[in-house]
Amino acid sequence: MELKHEHSSAIQNNRKKADSYIHSPAEQQRLYKRTLLIVVISQIFGGAGLAAGVTVGALLAQEMLGTDSYAGIPAALLTLGSALSAFLIGRFSQRSGRRLGLGLGFLVGGIGAIGVVMAAIMSNIILLFASLCVYGAGTATNLQARYAGTDLAGPTQRATAISIAMVSTTFGAVAGPNLVEPMGRFALSMGVPALAGPFMLGAAAFTLAGLVLLAFLRPDPLLIAKSWDRQQPKKSAEANPSADQSSIVNNRGLIVGTTVMVLTQIVMVAIMTMTPIHMKHHGHGLSEVGLVIGIHVGAMYFPSLVTGILVDKLGRTFMAYTSGVTLLAAGLLAAIAPGDSLVLLITALALLGLGWNLGFISGTALIVDATTASTRAKTQGTLDVLTALAGAAGGALSGMVVASSSYAVLSYAGGFLSLLLIPVVIWTRRKSAAPKSSAM
């Protein structure tokens, strides 16, 4: 009864706060900017935590298992954990707001990182796999946080808001892989295996990100947005005769946005997961691996500010096409690059990150456009599950593909798979245009 009373009081307080903003555009913009600032700060820490699993997860599993065939399993487990977490975070955020949903998600991810460190110390592969699943909560939260900035954004600000949240991840995400070697030395000085060092950083980073959100993301942007929606005057059927058609277009927006994110995630995760293994086989050390993955992760996030503006100005579908072409170039270059060429590997992985960035922001913007505050968080969480599962499939299959063929075959396959973005988007646009033409 007390919990219900507290939840009811929180809703009433948010409605009162919404009243103070709804009639003042200046106050709305101030709240929007403040929300973005808090999200940016949390994402800087979250990015550092995200990079640990990406950089050394596969190497840690390879060291403990003694084979390459299952080196893609850590990425698969991490993304499976991310999928479950995205679903739970989405529903919890819909009910209780972004602050609690995202804050607790980061803290759970920090617990998972601690579990990975303990697994490395104990050389316990089962604990490693279980902890990587829990660590996936931090990854899911890091991606879900991009939605928090859009709750209070106008239609022409949404892609830019997404990009601001994502570009702030760059600082931590680029620093993380480049701290692999120093963190490895730090871990060794404490009697911990070197490859567990980055996860020690991840534990601290995810925990700090969660605490920032829990302490400062007030008032909650999603709860305020829901209150605004409830207080907007309802349009009559006569004033909005095309409501049914709008719903159809929104559903198609969800389909194409999800497809874009799923395909870009599969291609990116598959190639990225096996690149450290490929580099190790060609004599590259941890510092070179950290450099390549650091630049790759930087390319995933750093272009976001420009990408968001382009998506808002040039359109979601045009940027989705651009993503497919960029990912194709990345796959082809990764396939033909000599294994000992650090420059070409850096270029290929940078293109891979950029292609993912273009697809992920345009896909996310399509999804935000097609949702309302009343269902936004749980819908976004559900669709992020599909994206995470796609990444899990890409990560799991990548090791098997490379073990049975080669890294080049994997890269070719990923590059050509990305081209499916173009016919899918064209088909969806034609389906969306058909009712309009028939109506005329």
Side-chain angles (χ1 to χ4, degrees), residues 172-208:
V174 172
N178 287 290
L179 289 173
V180 166
E181 200 163 12
M183 287 303 299
R185 289 195 299 269
F186 174 73
L188 285 173
S189 72
M190 298 182 65
V192 176
L195 290 176
F199 286 96
M200 297 170 72
L201 172 66
F206 278 159
T207 300
L208 285 171

Coordinates of all heavy atoms in Angstrom, one line a residue, residues 172-208:
G172 N 34.2 8.4 -23.3 CA 34.6 7.3 -22.5 C 34.8 6.1 -23.4 O 35.7 5.2 -23.1
A173 N 34.1 5.9 -24.5 CA 34.2 4.8 -25.4 C 35.6 4.7 -26.0 O 36.1 3.6 -26.3 CB 33.1 4.7 -26.4
V174 N 36.1 5.9 -26.4 CA 37.5 5.9 -27.0 C 38.6 5.7 -26.0 O 39.5 5.0 -26.2 CB 37.7 7.2 -27.8 CG1 39.1 7.3 -28.3 CG2 36.7 7.3 -29.0
A175 N 38.4 6.3 -24.8 CA 39.4 6.2 -23.8 C 39.4 4.7 -23.3 O 40.5 4.2 -23.0 CB 39.0 7.1 -22.6
G176 N 38.3 4.0 -23.2 CA 38.2 2.7 -22.6 C 39.2 1.7 -23.3 O 40.1 1.1 -22.7
P177 N 39.1 1.5 -24.7 CA 40.0 0.6 -25.3 C 41.5 1.0 -25.2 O 42.4 0.1 -25.2 CB 39.6 0.6 -26.8 CG 38.1 1.0 -26.7 CD 38.1 2.0 -25.6
N178 N 41.8 2.3 -25.2 CA 43.1 2.7 -25.1 C 43.7 2.6 -23.7 O 44.9 2.8 -23.5 CB 43.3 4.1 -25.6 CG 43.1 4.2 -27.2 OD1 44.0 3.8 -27.9 ND2 42.0 4.7 -27.6
L179 N 42.8 2.3 -22.7 CA 43.3 2.0 -21.4 C 43.5 0.5 -21.1 O 43.7 0.1 -20.0 CB 42.3 2.6 -20.4 CG 42.3 4.2 -20.3 CD1 41.2 4.7 -19.4 CD2 43.6 4.7 -19.8
V180 N 43.3 -0.3 -22.2 CA 43.4 -1.7 -22.0 C 44.8 -2.1 -21.4 O 44.8 -2.9 -20.4 CB 43.2 -2.5 -23.3 CG1 43.6 -3.9 -23.2 CG2 41.7 -2.4 -23.7
E181 N 45.8 -1.6 -22.0 CA 47.2 -2.0 -21.5 C 47.4 -1.4 -20.1 O 47.9 -2.2 -19.2 CB 48.2 -1.5 -22.5 CG 49.5 -2.3 -22.3 CD 50.4 -2.1 -23.6 OE1 50.2 -1.3 -24.4 OE2 51.4 -2.9 -23.6
P182 N 47.2 -0.1 -19.8 CA 47.4 0.4 -18.5 C 46.6 -0.3 -17.4 O 47.0 -0.6 -16.3 CB 47.0 1.9 -18.6 CG 47.2 2.2 -20.0 CD 46.9 1.0 -20.8
M183 N 45.3 -0.6 -17.8 CA 44.4 -1.3 -16.8 C 44.9 -2.8 -16.6 O 44.7 -3.3 -15.6 CB 43.0 -1.3 -17.3 CG 42.3 0.1 -17.2 SD 42.3 0.7 -15.5 CE 41.4 -0.5 -14.6
G184 N 45.5 -3.3 -17.7 CA 46.0 -4.7 -17.6 C 47.2 -4.7 -16.6 O 47.3 -5.6 -15.7
R185 N 48.1 -3.7 -16.7 CA 49.2 -3.6 -15.7 C 48.7 -3.4 -14.3 O 49.2 -3.9 -13.4 CB 50.1 -2.5 -16.2 CG 50.9 -2.8 -17.5 CD 52.1 -1.8 -17.6 NE 51.6 -0.4 -17.7 CZ 51.4 0.2 -18.9 NH1 51.5 -0.5 -20.0 NH2 51.0 1.4 -18.9
F186 N 47.7 -2.5 -14.2 CA 47.1 -2.2 -12.9 C 46.5 -3.5 -12.3 O 46.7 -3.8 -11.1 CB 46.0 -1.2 -13.0 CG 45.3 -0.9 -11.7 CD1 45.9 -0.2 -10.7 CD2 43.9 -1.4 -11.6 CE1 45.2 0.0 -9.5 CE2 43.2 -1.1 -10.4 CZ 43.9 -0.5 -9.3
A187 N 45.8 -4.3 -13.1 CA 45.2 -5.6 -12.7 C 46.3 -6.5 -12.2 O 46.2 -7.2 -11.1 CB 44.4 -6.2 -13.8
L188 N 47.4 -6.6 -13.0 CA 48.5 -7.5 -12.6 C 49.1 -7.1 -11.3 O 49.5 -8.0 -10.5 CB 49.5 -7.5 -13.7 CG 49.2 -8.3 -15.0 CD1 50.2 -8.1 -16.1 CD2 49.0 -9.8 -14.7
S189 N 49.2 -5.8 -11.1 CA 49.8 -5.3 -9.8 C 49.0 -5.7 -8.6 O 49.5 -5.8 -7.5 CB 50.0 -3.8 -9.9 OG 48.8 -3.2 -9.8
M190 N 47.7 -6.0 -8.9 CA 46.8 -6.4 -7.8 C 46.6 -7.9 -7.7 O 45.7 -8.4 -7.0 CB 45.4 -5.7 -7.9 CG 45.5 -4.2 -7.8 SD 43.9 -3.4 -8.0 CE 43.1 -4.0 -6.5
G191 N 47.4 -8.7 -8.6 CA 47.2 -10.1 -8.6 C 46.0 -10.6 -9.4 O 45.6 -11.7 -9.2
V192 N 45.5 -9.8 -10.3 CA 44.3 -10.1 -11.1 C 44.8 -10.3 -12.6 O 45.7 -9.6 -13.0 CB 43.3 -9.0 -11.1 CG1 42.1 -9.3 -12.0 CG2 42.8 -8.8 -9.6
P193 N 44.3 -11.3 -13.3 CA 44.7 -11.4 -14.7 C 44.6 -10.1 -15.5 O 43.6 -9.3 -15.3 CB 43.7 -12.5 -15.3 CG 43.4 -13.3 -14.0 CD 43.3 -12.3 -12.9
A194 N 45.5 -9.9 -16.4 CA 45.6 -8.6 -17.2 C 44.3 -8.3 -17.9 O 43.8 -7.2 -18.0 CB 46.7 -8.6 -18.1
L195 N 43.7 -9.3 -18.6 CA 42.5 -9.1 -19.4 C 41.3 -8.7 -18.6 O 40.2 -8.3 -19.1 CB 42.2 -10.4 -20.2 CG 43.2 -10.6 -21.4 CD1 42.8 -11.9 -22.1 CD2 43.2 -9.5 -22.4
A196 N 41.3 -8.9 -17.2 CA 40.2 -8.5 -16.4 C 40.3 -7.0 -16.0 O 39.3 -6.4 -15.6 CB 40.2 -9.3 -15.1
G197 N 41.5 -6.4 -16.3 CA 41.6 -5.0 -16.0 C 40.6 -4.1 -16.6 O 40.0 -3.2 -15.8
P198 N 40.3 -4.2 -17.9 CA 39.3 -3.3 -18.4 C 37.9 -3.4 -17.8 O 37.1 -2.5 -17.7 CB 39.2 -3.7 -19.9 CG 40.6 -4.2 -20.2 CD 41.0 -4.9 -18.9
F199 N 37.6 -4.6 -17.3 CA 36.3 -4.8 -16.6 C 36.3 -4.1 -15.2 O 35.2 -3.8 -14.7 CB 35.9 -6.3 -16.5 CG 35.5 -6.9 -17.8 CD1 36.4 -7.6 -18.6 CD2 34.2 -6.7 -18.3 CE1 36.1 -8.1 -19.8 CE2 33.8 -7.3 -19.5 CZ 34.7 -7.9 -20.3
M200 N 37.4 -4.0 -14.6 CA 37.5 -3.2 -13.4 C 37.1 -1.7 -13.7 O 36.4 -1.1 -12.9 CB 38.9 -3.3 -12.8 CG 39.3 -4.7 -12.4 SD 41.1 -4.9 -12.0 CE 41.1 -4.0 -10.4
L201 N 37.6 -1.2 -14.8 CA 37.2 0.1 -15.2 C 35.7 0.2 -15.5 O 35.0 1.1 -15.2 CB 38.0 0.5 -16.5 CG 37.6 1.8 -17.2 CD1 37.9 3.0 -16.3 CD2 38.3 2.0 -18.5
G202 N 35.2 -0.9 -16.2 CA 33.8 -0.9 -16.6 C 32.9 -0.9 -15.3 O 31.9 -0.3 -15.3
A203 N 33.3 -1.6 -14.3 CA 32.5 -1.6 -13.1 C 32.4 -0.2 -12.5 O 31.3 0.2 -12.1 CB 33.1 -2.6 -12.0
A204 N 33.5 0.5 -12.4 CA 33.5 1.8 -11.8 C 32.7 2.8 -12.7 O 31.9 3.6 -12.3 CB 34.9 2.3 -11.7
A205 N 32.9 2.6 -14.1 CA 32.2 3.6 -15.0 C 30.7 3.4 -15.0 O 29.9 4.4 -14.9 CB 32.8 3.3 -16.4
F206 N 30.2 2.1 -15.1 CA 28.8 1.9 -15.1 C 28.1 2.4 -13.8 O 27.0 2.9 -13.8 CB 28.5 0.4 -15.3 CG 28.5 0.0 -16.7 CD1 28.7 -1.3 -17.1 CD2 28.3 0.9 -17.8 CE1 28.7 -1.8 -18.4 CE2 28.4 0.5 -19.1 CZ 28.5 -0.8 -19.4
T207 N 28.8 2.1 -12.7 CA 28.3 2.5 -11.4 C 28.1 4.1 -11.3 O 27.1 4.6 -10.8 CB 29.2 2.0 -10.2 OG1 29.2 0.6 -10.3 CG2 28.6 2.5 -8.9
L208 N 29.2 4.8 -11.7 CA 29.1 6.2 -11.7 C 28.0 6.8 -12.6 O 27.3 7.7 -12.3 CB 30.5 6.8 -12.1 CG 31.6 6.7 -11.1 CD1 32.9 7.1 -11.7 CD2 31.2 7.7 -9.9

